[in-house]
Amino acid sequence: MEANLCKGLRLFRIICNNIIKFPNEPKYRTINSANAKIASELFSLKGNVDIFVTTAGFKQSSTNPAHYVYERTPGGDATALAKKCTHIVEERMKNLESLVAMKPEDR
């Protein structure tokens, strides 16, 4: 389970990093939850992934419910929320990767 969570968080980190690198590119600001890789690695995780994604600054498209579009942060830096999410995800991944590396009996 932890390995799947790491995989999903890595993918989400890539998505956020792409927003930071290309803030004006619509293709990098959109998550297609119907995409095979995104569906299997991110949206297949247990829990409310859609709430996680919307809390991270994405809004579900009214014209295509499978698409989540990153909303620009009001004022200042348009990528501020993506940067914050990237930092949080990286911190959590360190803990998870340590846990995954442990033998089950050492957990």
Side-chain angles (χ1 to χ4, degrees), residues 12 48-60 68 81:
F12 192 71
N48 297 317
V49 176
D50 56 332
I51 293 173
F52 170 72
V53 168
T54 55
T55 302
F58 290 85
K59 182 178 177 186
Q60 192 169 22
Y68 291 81
L81 197 50

Side-chain angles (χ1 to χ4, degrees), residues 69-105:
V69 180
Y70 183 76
E71 296 286 304
R72 292 184 169 275
T73 308
D77 184 359
T79 62
L81 197 50
K83 289 175 183 173
K84 190 171 197 172
C85 288
T86 300
H87 175 74
I88 292 168
V89 166
E90 286 173 352
E91 288 299 312
R92 297 303 172 254
M93 282 180 58
K94 287 178 191 173
N95 296 336
L96 279 169
E97 287 169 345
S98 296
L99 187 61
V100 168
M102 287 181 162
K103 295 176 186 171
E105 61 271 12

Side-chain angles (χ1 to χ4, degrees), residues 20-62:
I20 294 164
K21 291 177 191 173
F22 310 103
N24 298 316
E25 288 287 332
K27 73 177 183 177
Y28 293 114
R29 293 194 339 260
T30 303
I31 298 174
N32 178 0
S33 65
N35 172 281
K37 182 175 178 133
I38 291 171
S40 69
E41 291 184 17
L42 183 59
F43 282 87
S44 69
L45 295 172
K46 290 185 180 182
N48 297 317
V49 176
D50 56 332
I51 293 173
F52 170 72
V53 168
T54 55
T55 302
F58 290 85
K59 182 178 177 186
Q60 192 169 22
S61 171
S62 58

